[in-house]
Amino acid sequence: MIDKKWDRRIRRANELASTYPFSAEGLSYYARVATFQKGLYSEIRKALAGSPKISADRPLRDELDLFLLLPRISGFLSMIHEIAPMPLSEAAGSLAEKGPGGWQRAIEDFWHGDAEVDPVMNDDEQIQASDFLDASYSDRLLTWIFLQPYAEYLADHREVAIVDGTPSTCPLCGGKPIVGVLRSEGDGAKKSLICMLCAHEWTFRRIYCPACGEEREPQMAFYSAPEIAHVRVDVCDTCHTYLKSIDLTKTGLAVPVVDELATIPLDLWAREHGYMKLQINLLGT
Ligand SMILES: [Zn+2]
Ligand SMILES: [Zn+2]
């Protein structure tokens, strides 16, 4: 059941790589990363099988099993070093050289910090096109990708929490939303957000900016392109941020985190129109 969730992501990435040639390279890279994450998730599940569920009132990030995680990060970094495009490949090599002390610092800084991964943009705002990455940014990006399956395991093995209202960050771990989801409900659609770190999905208001709290309808708009009709760009004209939403009422086959990665032209469109992404994805876009 849990493996199926990872298999769905990997399968969707491979499918979309042929549908959207413009994203093929990023998607096949993602498929390999997700295969590693699936393996890590399953090792974590085996190792923690006997432990009790985390109680609903305990913040998810109170947990951190370095004993479990530290021995696994060097394999992850060599995998990324081997398969990632430059400059991330080089950044993985540099983090690998830092050794256990450096890895532990990177993990703790990310986990106990605000878990943000904000790129340092260069002039043309093309992160991938730059020749090098700012070390603190690349360490955070790498640590995020490595810790994501652990956070997801913790979220999956936690008592169900009753959440008040519709928070703009994840009610379990405080992470930012990485993508919105629209599912059919009655005659319309209901919206939810998916967490960038633990992949928890929580209900959200349809007209509300998760970045600044704007709720006036004229300030909130969405755009889509006919050739990618099931993905839309939700923009806020007050704080100029955007987040994509995947409309599952249009295609039930979509896997939101993967379809988000695959639709690079929408990111280009949004940036050209002056919007900043609320949360970059694990390809750094
Ligand atoms: Zn979360
Ligand atoms: Zn806003």
Side-chain angles (χ1 to χ4, degrees):
M1 157 93 189
I2 298 291
D3 280 353
K4 277 196 190 145
K5 167 166 81 169
W6 291 97
D7 288 339
R8 259 202 321 272
R9 292 174 190 163
I10 297 163
R11 201 178 324 121
R12 182 70 174 163
N14 290 325
E15 267 165 32
L16 290 180
S18 42
T19 323
Y20 299 148
F22 45 79
S23 301
E25 207 176 312
L27 286 167
S28 33
Y29 163 69
Y30 167 75
R32 297 178 70 179
V33 170
T35 304
F36 180 93
Q37 290 181 315
K38 173 188 167 183
L40 182 58
Y41 186 101
S42 127
E43 286 177 31
I44 291 167
R45 187 180 46 189
K46 274 186 214 126
L48 300 180
S51 35
K53 282 199 166 187
I54 307 165
S55 80
D57 51 11
R58 205 175 135 92
L60 188 144
R61 280 195 271 153
D62 277 7
E63 309 284 321
L64 181 61
D65 196 333
L66 285 168
F67 184 73
L68 178 64
L69 295 165
L70 263 185
R72 290 172 167 86
I73 194 168
S74 89
F76 165 75
L77 293 172
S78 5
M79 185 270 303
I80 296 286
H81 182 57
E82 203 180 300
I83 70 165
M86 290 293 276
L88 190 64
S89 159
E90 200 168 71
S94 314
L95 183 55
E97 280 167 18
K98 289 186 186 165
W103 305 334
Q104 177 166 347
R105 248 190 327 275
I107 290 176
E108 287 178 332
D109 284 354
F110 182 86
W111 193 256
H112 298 306
D114 49 17
E116 298 232 342
V117 186
D118 288 323
V120 178
M121 294 286 190
N122 57 359
D123 289 345
D124 59 1
E125 296 199 341
Q126 291 288 315
I127 307 155
Q128 287 173 322
S130 61
D131 294 332
F132 68 94
L133 291 174
D134 171 79
S136 73
Y137 164 68
S138 61
D139 285 1
R140 295 172 81 71
L141 179 62
L142 291 164
T143 312
W144 168 34
I145 301 170
F146 175 69
L147 289 173
Q148 195 276 315
Y150 174 63
E152 186 163 343
Y153 174 85
L154 295 179
D156 289 342
H157 294 83
R158 196 188 138 92
E159 290 171 356
V160 178
I162 311 292
V163 177
D164 287 336
T166 52
S168 293
T169 52
C170 175
L172 302 193
C173 77
K176 281 189 193 173
I178 192 147
V179 65
V181 186
L182 297 161
R183 297 173 190 280
S184 55
E185 185 183 55
D187 293 335
K190 68 169 182 177
K191 185 173 180 176
S192 50
L193 298 177
I194 293 181
C195 173
M196 50 91 80
L197 181 59
C198 76
H200 175 68
E201 183 175 334
W202 72 98
T203 306
F204 201 65
R205 288 159 62 182
R206 290 205 59 181
I207 313 279
Y208 192 79
C209 172
C212 75
E214 181 60 78
E215 53 188 340
R216 290 170 298 164
E217 201 149 347
Q219 295 300 102
M220 304 293 297
F222 68 86
Y223 298 92
S224 60
E227 58 278 19
I228 320 175
H230 73 293
V231 182
R232 59 185 228 187
V233 182
D234 294 320
V235 305
C236 170
D237 282 318
T238 302
C239 68
H240 303 284
T241 56
Y242 78 96
L243 188 69
K244 289 181 209 164
S245 286
I246 314 300
D247 191 341
L248 295 180
T249 67
K250 296 208 165 98
T251 169
L253 295 172
V255 176
V257 289
V258 184
D259 287 57
E260 198 286 324
L261 293 171
T263 45
I264 293 169
L266 298 177
D267 294 293
L268 298 177
W269 178 90
R271 291 200 177 118
E272 272 164 22
H273 288 79
Y275 299 107
M276 278 284 291
K277 204 168 194 180
L278 177 62
Q279 173 59 55
I280 59 151
N281 62 36
L282 55 74
L283 298 180
T285 48

